[in-house]
Amino acid sequence: MEKWSAATIRDFRKTLLDWYDEAGRDLPWRHGRNPYHTWVSEVMLQQTQVNTVIPYYENFLATFPTVADLAAADEATLLKAWQGLGYYSRARNLQRAAQQLMTDYQGKWPRTAAELEDLVGIGPYTASAIASIAFDQVVPAVDGNAFRVFARLLMIEADIAKPKTRQLFTEIIQPIVDPQRPGAFNQAIMDLGSSYMTAKNPDPAHSPVKAFDASYRAGRVLDFPVKTKAPRPKPMAYYGLIVHSPAGYLMVQRGANEMLTGYWSFPLVLQTDLHADDHQPMTLAADIAALEEQWRNDYQLPLKLTVVGGQPVSQTYTHQRWHVKLLMADLPTAMPLDFFPGKWVPAGEISALPLPKVQEKMMQRFAKQQDFDGFREN
DNA sequence: GAGACGTGGAC
DNA sequence: TGTCCAAGTCT
């Protein structure tokens, strides 16, 4: 691994910041220095690309202009504003932190990374980003870009998938951060990481910091950063139940102990739960019979399930891969939902609910198979 | 410390 | 199509 002299560090700062001042991106959250704006953008940008974030950011600030507005927002409005962005606990934590700010901090922002980390959803990266960008604290914001950029520049061999590696990078980058413009320095590293020093298709030959790039000199750019591979998503087979009555479609809100918390979908039943007792592989007909019996017994809902044609709806998450087979039933009367944890939703009102992507796919698949009038009229 | 946690883009 | 990647945090 390379080590830089004090002179090299000064040279690097100037080269980087000159480039940033000339070629840095003009992004909505880079206008002004409002810590709320910086915070919202940084949380949205966690594991999410800039182009995806921009429209969400604009809409979010229009909907919740201040920390106080966010703290007071109702959950459905919040989840709707986040719909499609993914990692939905970010939205929930954002609001909890806003409430923390209003109640525990009297609406006044803490100005250091260490204090910012006490807010829910703000980890070491986001705390440093806010502290440097909004409050000029001289700390490195160590995100995926910083890992990749400095791993290449200095040929750091540590595995960035290991949590412990963050400390090493923080210590290495800390003395390099420009003490006059720490926020610009950190954002310049991010711009570098998303242009000349991308993960898959870097262009190190034309990078403004080519002269500082040890991995380029060694012809080993793509050997850095070192990162162990993530496990494959686990396949999960579900039945998606489209239950219609004169009152609309049966919808359920996902609970706090499952993913997609707070979002609404058609009822989903894990196939393996249908025959938890006997581990026999079941036929589709047997699964349908088991589902009908279960719903009659547990919920007093006498379903007659039929298969919705087409391939199963598939949805890949970071750690799970869902295959959802759709079944439908039409109840002649709106059965009371005394035993079922859900509600009837008229077709025209479904889209007003916060919905995860898999629900939108289920509705599309269903609509393709059905006369969609049923959706519109009810 | 390993696994949970969403979605869309790039190849 | 499959696989990896994108401004991480929480448990």
Side-chain angles (χ1 to χ4, degrees), chain A residues 228-248:
Chain A
T228 54
K229 271 184 273 190
R232 294 268 185 82
K234 176 186 173 187
M236 310 270 279
Y238 281 96
Y239 288 109
L241 273 43
I242 303 174
V243 184
H244 181 260
S245 85

mmCIF file of all heavy atoms in Angstrom, chain A residues 228-248:
data_model
loop_
_atom_site.group_PDB
_atom_site.id
_atom_site.type_symbol
_atom_site.label_atom_id
_atom_site.label_comp_id
_atom_site.label_asym_id
_atom_site.label_seq_id
_atom_site.Cartn_x
_atom_site.Cartn_y
_atom_site.Cartn_z
ATOM 1 N N THR A 228 -15.388 -9.212 -0.828
ATOM 2 C CA THR A 228 -15.935 -10.564 -0.897
ATOM 3 C C THR A 228 -17.375 -10.518 -1.402
ATOM 4 O O THR A 228 -18.090 -9.549 -1.196
ATOM 5 C CB THR A 228 -15.917 -11.248 0.484
ATOM 6 O OG1 THR A 228 -16.577 -10.397 1.414
ATOM 7 C CG2 THR A 228 -14.501 -11.509 0.931
ATOM 8 N N LYS A 229 -17.756 -11.579 -2.090
ATOM 9 C CA LYS A 229 -19.059 -11.598 -2.739
ATOM 10 C C LYS A 229 -20.214 -11.828 -1.758
ATOM 11 O O LYS A 229 -20.071 -12.530 -0.760
ATOM 12 C CB LYS A 229 -19.083 -12.668 -3.829
ATOM 13 C CG LYS A 229 -18.610 -12.136 -5.178
ATOM 14 C CD LYS A 229 -18.720 -13.182 -6.274
ATOM 15 C CE LYS A 229 -17.476 -14.056 -6.342
ATOM 16 N NZ LYS A 229 -17.401 -14.926 -7.500
ATOM 17 N N ALA A 230 -21.337 -11.234 -2.086
ATOM 18 C CA ALA A 230 -22.548 -11.411 -1.274
ATOM 19 C C ALA A 230 -23.182 -12.759 -1.602
ATOM 20 O O ALA A 230 -23.033 -13.266 -2.715
ATOM 21 C CB ALA A 230 -23.532 -10.285 -1.551
ATOM 22 N N PRO A 231 -23.915 -13.345 -0.655
ATOM 23 C CA PRO A 231 -24.605 -14.613 -0.927
ATOM 24 C C PRO A 231 -25.753 -14.412 -1.911
ATOM 25 O O PRO A 231 -26.267 -13.316 -2.064
ATOM 26 C CB PRO A 231 -25.123 -15.025 0.452
ATOM 27 C CG PRO A 231 -25.191 -13.763 1.239
ATOM 28 C CD PRO A 231 -24.092 -12.892 0.726
ATOM 29 N N ARG A 232 -26.111 -15.508 -2.572
ATOM 30 C CA ARG A 232 -27.233 -15.462 -3.513
ATOM 31 C C ARG A 232 -28.559 -15.269 -2.767
ATOM 32 O O ARG A 232 -28.712 -15.756 -1.651
ATOM 33 C CB ARG A 232 -27.312 -16.778 -4.283
ATOM 34 C CG ARG A 232 -26.134 -17.041 -5.192
ATOM 35 C CD ARG A 232 -26.436 -16.511 -6.588
ATOM 36 N NE ARG A 232 -25.372 -16.850 -7.521
ATOM 37 C CZ ARG A 232 -25.268 -18.023 -8.117
ATOM 38 N NH1 ARG A 232 -26.147 -18.968 -7.838
ATOM 39 N NH2 ARG A 232 -24.297 -18.266 -8.963
ATOM 40 N N PRO A 233 -29.506 -14.589 -3.410
ATOM 41 C CA PRO A 233 -30.842 -14.480 -2.801
ATOM 42 C C PRO A 233 -31.480 -15.860 -2.659
ATOM 43 O O PRO A 233 -31.322 -16.725 -3.521
ATOM 44 C CB PRO A 233 -31.617 -13.627 -3.806
ATOM 45 C CG PRO A 233 -30.612 -12.996 -4.688
ATOM 46 C CD PRO A 233 -29.404 -13.873 -4.677
ATOM 47 N N LYS A 234 -32.192 -16.045 -1.585
ATOM 48 C CA LYS A 234 -32.842 -17.326 -1.316
ATOM 49 C C LYS A 234 -34.203 -17.394 -2.024
ATOM 50 O O LYS A 234 -35.035 -16.509 -1.836
ATOM 51 C CB LYS A 234 -33.036 -17.458 0.202
ATOM 52 C CG LYS A 234 -33.780 -18.703 0.641
ATOM 53 C CD LYS A 234 -34.032 -18.653 2.150
ATOM 54 C CE LYS A 234 -34.918 -19.813 2.596
ATOM 55 N NZ LYS A 234 -35.320 -19.694 4.004
ATOM 56 N N PRO A 235 -34.451 -18.422 -2.807
ATOM 57 C CA PRO A 235 -35.749 -18.530 -3.498
ATOM 58 C C PRO A 235 -36.890 -18.752 -2.517
ATOM 59 O O PRO A 235 -36.777 -19.546 -1.579
ATOM 60 C CB PRO A 235 -35.578 -19.759 -4.402
ATOM 61 C CG PRO A 235 -34.116 -20.013 -4.462
ATOM 62 C CD PRO A 235 -33.547 -19.525 -3.163
ATOM 63 N N MET A 236 -38.000 -18.041 -2.732
ATOM 64 C CA MET A 236 -39.177 -18.159 -1.875
ATOM 65 C C MET A 236 -40.422 -18.251 -2.768
ATOM 66 O O MET A 236 -40.631 -17.388 -3.608
ATOM 67 C CB MET A 236 -39.326 -16.920 -0.977
ATOM 68 C CG MET A 236 -38.063 -16.517 -0.224
ATOM 69 S SD MET A 236 -37.933 -17.308 1.370
ATOM 70 C CE MET A 236 -38.989 -16.251 2.329
ATOM 71 N N ALA A 237 -41.218 -19.295 -2.557
ATOM 72 C CA ALA A 237 -42.428 -19.469 -3.371
ATOM 73 C C ALA A 237 -43.650 -18.994 -2.588
ATOM 74 O O ALA A 237 -43.913 -19.452 -1.477
ATOM 75 C CB ALA A 237 -42.591 -20.937 -3.752
ATOM 76 N N TYR A 238 -44.408 -18.078 -3.186
ATOM 77 C CA TYR A 238 -45.608 -17.523 -2.547
ATOM 78 C C TYR A 238 -46.839 -17.775 -3.422
ATOM 79 O O TYR A 238 -46.735 -17.921 -4.638
ATOM 80 C CB TYR A 238 -45.481 -16.009 -2.368
ATOM 81 C CG TYR A 238 -44.642 -15.570 -1.197
ATOM 82 C CD1 TYR A 238 -43.296 -15.249 -1.369
ATOM 83 C CD2 TYR A 238 -45.183 -15.449 0.077
ATOM 84 C CE1 TYR A 238 -42.517 -14.827 -0.299
ATOM 85 C CE2 TYR A 238 -44.417 -15.028 1.152
ATOM 86 C CZ TYR A 238 -43.088 -14.723 0.964
ATOM 87 O OH TYR A 238 -42.334 -14.304 2.016
ATOM 88 N N TYR A 239 -47.993 -17.781 -2.785
ATOM 89 C CA TYR A 239 -49.251 -17.596 -3.489
ATOM 90 C C TYR A 239 -49.754 -16.194 -3.190
ATOM 91 O O TYR A 239 -49.765 -15.762 -2.025
ATOM 92 C CB TYR A 239 -50.294 -18.631 -3.053
ATOM 93 C CG TYR A 239 -49.984 -20.017 -3.564
ATOM 94 C CD1 TYR A 239 -49.566 -21.026 -2.700
ATOM 95 C CD2 TYR A 239 -50.090 -20.310 -4.923
ATOM 96 C CE1 TYR A 239 -49.253 -22.297 -3.177
ATOM 97 C CE2 TYR A 239 -49.782 -21.567 -5.408
ATOM 98 C CZ TYR A 239 -49.362 -22.557 -4.536
ATOM 99 O OH TYR A 239 -49.050 -23.798 -5.021
ATOM 100 N N GLY A 240 -50.122 -15.466 -4.250
ATOM 101 C CA GLY A 240 -50.733 -14.157 -4.096
ATOM 102 C C GLY A 240 -52.227 -14.296 -4.319
ATOM 103 O O GLY A 240 -52.656 -14.779 -5.364
ATOM 104 N N LEU A 241 -53.015 -13.895 -3.316
ATOM 105 C CA LEU A 241 -54.463 -14.117 -3.371
ATOM 106 C C LEU A 241 -55.198 -12.832 -3.734
ATOM 107 O O LEU A 241 -55.157 -11.842 -2.990
ATOM 108 C CB LEU A 241 -54.956 -14.632 -2.013
ATOM 109 C CG LEU A 241 -54.889 -16.159 -1.814
ATOM 110 C CD1 LEU A 241 -53.593 -16.755 -2.317
ATOM 111 C CD2 LEU A 241 -55.108 -16.514 -0.347
ATOM 112 N N ILE A 242 -55.855 -12.873 -4.870
ATOM 113 C CA ILE A 242 -56.616 -11.709 -5.321
ATOM 114 C C ILE A 242 -58.083 -11.989 -5.017
ATOM 115 O O ILE A 242 -58.757 -12.707 -5.754
ATOM 116 C CB ILE A 242 -56.396 -11.464 -6.816
ATOM 117 C CG1 ILE A 242 -54.891 -11.294 -7.088
ATOM 118 C CG2 ILE A 242 -57.179 -10.236 -7.282
ATOM 119 C CD1 ILE A 242 -54.539 -11.184 -8.559
ATOM 120 N N VAL A 243 -58.534 -11.446 -3.907
ATOM 121 C CA VAL A 243 -59.889 -11.736 -3.422
ATOM 122 C C VAL A 243 -60.772 -10.520 -3.638
ATOM 123 O O VAL A 243 -60.513 -9.449 -3.071
ATOM 124 C CB VAL A 243 -59.861 -12.116 -1.923
ATOM 125 C CG1 VAL A 243 -61.255 -12.504 -1.463
ATOM 126 C CG2 VAL A 243 -58.884 -13.259 -1.685
ATOM 127 N N HIS A 244 -61.783 -10.720 -4.454
ATOM 128 C CA HIS A 244 -62.666 -9.613 -4.820
ATOM 129 C C HIS A 244 -64.048 -9.813 -4.219
ATOM 130 O O HIS A 244 -64.511 -10.950 -4.080
ATOM 131 C CB HIS A 244 -62.773 -9.519 -6.352
ATOM 132 C CG HIS A 244 -63.630 -8.396 -6.832
ATOM 133 N ND1 HIS A 244 -64.936 -8.570 -7.241
ATOM 134 C CD2 HIS A 244 -63.365 -7.073 -6.957
ATOM 135 C CE1 HIS A 244 -65.434 -7.393 -7.598
ATOM 136 N NE2 HIS A 244 -64.508 -6.476 -7.429
ATOM 137 N N SER A 245 -64.676 -8.710 -3.855
ATOM 138 C CA SER A 245 -66.069 -8.735 -3.398
ATOM 139 C C SER A 245 -66.721 -7.440 -3.880
ATOM 140 O O SER A 245 -66.023 -6.574 -4.425
ATOM 141 C CB SER A 245 -66.133 -8.810 -1.866
ATOM 142 O OG SER A 245 -66.050 -7.519 -1.310
ATOM 143 N N PRO A 246 -68.002 -7.279 -3.661
ATOM 144 C CA PRO A 246 -68.627 -6.007 -4.058
ATOM 145 C C PRO A 246 -68.006 -4.802 -3.358
ATOM 146 O O PRO A 246 -68.172 -3.671 -3.831
ATOM 147 C CB PRO A 246 -70.090 -6.188 -3.634
ATOM 148 C CG PRO A 246 -70.300 -7.668 -3.708
ATOM 149 C CD PRO A 246 -69.008 -8.270 -3.253
ATOM 150 N N ALA A 247 -67.287 -5.030 -2.267
ATOM 151 C CA ALA A 247 -66.676 -3.903 -1.561
ATOM 152 C C ALA A 247 -65.285 -3.570 -2.074
ATOM 153 O O ALA A 247 -64.670 -2.608 -1.629
ATOM 154 C CB ALA A 247 -66.593 -4.210 -0.061
ATOM 155 N N GLY A 248 -64.779 -4.394 -3.003
ATOM 156 C CA GLY A 248 -63.449 -4.123 -3.541
ATOM 157 C C GLY A 248 -62.527 -5.315 -3.415
ATOM 158 O O GLY A 248 -62.978 -6.465 -3.371
#
